Amino acid sequence: MIGCAEFCGYYDWTFEYLRRRFGEEAVSDYWRTAISEDSQRHARELIVGQGIAGMEEYWAQTLEEEEAGYHMQKGEDFFRIDMFACPSLGLLLDRGRQAYHDYCDHCMGWIEPVMEEAGFVIHHEHNHAGQCYWEMRPANDDQGLSAPGEIAGEQDVRALPHWPQVCHHLWLASRRVQKQ
Amino acid sequence: MAAADFYFGINATFRHIYEEYGEAELINYWRAMGEEYFAPVTERFKGGGLPSVAQYWREFFAEEPGSEVEITEETDCVRVEVKVCPALKHLREHERDIMPLYCQHCTEISRAICEPASIMVRVAGGNGNCCQWFCREGE
């Protein structure tokens, strides 16, 4: 049996299995159809149905269950998570065992389609070391990514001394961009 | 990090591979996972024999929320009686459609792990409760 305690290990291995057997596109398709539309349909229902309140309800429960290190904040026109210690990548880093070349990309892979349906854009950056931030804003009134500390103050992950890493991936308004 | 909602992901992954690529590819996926991802478990079983099999499953099910399992070490076999499968329990409680081949992954992955360690696997039952035997080859 494969169980839930070691799920992130199988999950990472599955990305690499799909990539090598069916190609990189098959991995993106898997995140969109299997994870975003099927596995995470409870998240989709909450977020599409309730917007920011649904985001808060979903992530408050799931990040507690997964024992993440995080700070969460919401306003009338934003929802923000600062992740200090990603439990999912953390499990892989602790074991020194990663199969897929970019495990962190799976989050955008399933969350972005949910937010698109819900009418939100995502400003997101991860550093491949277990830290990231997420800022969701209404697509029809996107004020852009907040400046470091503007919303989260000292809890802003960008203020951490170990935030800068060799490889960051950045999305602005749900579009991947090259970081300057 | 034993979040039971991860069972949703396991069920959805099996369904996706089955629907996109077919049953043979789903079985290939399970076999490859057993041979590659679980290679350290195979090594453990090669070195530790049946006592290590019993210990592995005790540790495994201790981490799976909602499971009710009895593990018995017999002379040449380890018997794992799954009275309540934690995955099917959680999927049913949340009214998720369980993909039709879900239970088969236990047999396929366990065989891929155990065959190189000369341990035979037999599974009877399913759909929420089953009995799994891990026996020395020839027994």
Side-chain angles (χ1 to χ4, degrees):
Chain A
M1 178 183 172
I2 62 175
C4 65
E6 205 178 325
F7 175 76
C8 300
Y10 322 129
Y11 198 36
D12 169 61
W13 180 88
T14 296
F15 303 163
E16 176 56 18
Y17 179 82
L18 292 173
R19 186 203 64 77
R20 79 168 189 244
R21 188 144 182 87
F22 304 110
E24 199 71 62
E25 191 63 32
V27 185
S28 303
D29 181 51
Y30 164 71
W31 290 335
R32 179 176 288 270
T33 58
I35 305 305
S36 187
E37 294 174 7
D38 186 351
S39 169
Q40 300 304 93
R41 75 171 198 235
H42 54 304
R44 183 178 288 269
E45 285 167 8
L46 277 172
I47 294 166
V48 172
Q50 300 177 37
I52 288 170
M55 295 177 207
E56 181 181 36
E57 184 174 336
Y58 170 71
W59 272 294
Q61 182 192 333
T62 197
L63 293 177
E64 282 302 311
E65 274 185 3
E66 294 179 22
E67 300 170 1
Y70 70 99
H71 178 258
M72 203 164 69
Q73 226 171 327
K74 68 170 182 175
E76 283 185 9
D77 60 352
F78 74 88
F79 179 78
R80 183 176 167 99
I81 297 171
D82 287 89
M83 181 77 77
F84 307 113
C86 169
S88 183
L89 180 65
L91 183 138
L92 303 180
L93 293 174
D94 285 348
R95 293 179 173 186
R97 229 183 138 189
Q98 271 186 272
Y100 188 62
H101 62 84
D102 199 341
Y103 180 78
C104 296
D105 272 358
H106 82 270
C107 273
M108 275 302 285
W110 79 263
I111 294 170
E112 193 277 329
V114 172
M115 291 302 162
E116 184 181 10
E117 186 180 340
F120 287 84
V121 292
I122 303 171
H123 305 288
H124 165 69
E125 183 174 355
H126 58 248
N127 69 356
H128 300 95
Q131 290 90 42
C132 64
Y133 62 80
W134 296 81
E135 207 167 294
M136 285 51 145
R137 291 181 175 274
N140 61 5
D141 185 25
D142 176 23
Q143 303 294 310
L145 174 64
S146 65
E150 183 183 346
I151 289 177
E154 292 180 354
Q155 303 290 335
D156 195 315
V157 76
R158 291 169 289 185
L160 291 174
H162 49 283
W163 167 247
Q165 297 284 333
V166 173
C167 181
H168 284 234
H169 285 165
L170 172 67
W171 281 257
L172 295 174
S174 300
R175 289 180 181 275
R176 187 155 166 183
V177 298
Q178 287 290 341
K179 194 170 184 193
Q180 300 300 311
Chain B
M1 188 177 59
D5 283 359
F6 285 145
Y7 293 128
F8 300 157
I10 295 168
N11 184 47
T13 298
F14 296 169
R15 178 168 22 250
H16 175 76
I17 294 173
Y18 177 72
E19 291 181 352
E20 283 292 315
Y21 309 109
E23 182 175 341
E25 283 294 347
L26 179 58
I27 292 170
N28 285 341
Y29 164 73
W30 287 331
R31 297 287 309 187
M33 182 185 286
E35 291 165 6
E36 296 175 22
Y37 181 80
F38 286 103
V41 178
T42 299
E43 290 307 307
R44 182 174 167 182
F45 290 176
K46 279 180 180 174
L50 291 180
S52 69
V53 174
Q55 186 59 25
Y56 172 79
W57 288 117
R58 285 193 186 100
E59 292 167 4
F60 176 90
F61 282 109
E63 295 288 321
E64 296 301 309
S67 61
E68 290 180 30
V69 178
E70 191 173 312
I71 295 164
T72 311
E73 293 184 63
E74 300 169 351
T75 308
D76 292 307
C77 293
V78 172
R79 183 169 176 268
V80 178
E81 187 178 356
V82 182
K83 297 173 180 173
V84 176
C85 171
L88 294 196
K89 177 174 184 272
H90 190 74
L91 291 168
R92 287 191 173 119
E93 283 173 353
H94 292 81
E95 299 178 343
R96 294 297 181 114
D97 291 333
I98 297 165
M99 75 85 57
L101 302 180
Y102 192 95
C103 288
Q104 200 174 328
H105 86 272
C106 282
T107 306
E108 297 293 346
I109 293 174
S110 285
R111 284 183 176 160
I113 294 169
C114 290
E115 282 166 1
S118 302
I119 295 167
M120 291 192 313
V121 178
R122 189 160 62 89
V123 179
N127 203 26
N129 55 77
C130 68
C131 197
Q132 307 182 8
W133 287 269
F134 299 82
C135 301
R136 285 195 190 97
E137 267 185 1
E139 300 305 324

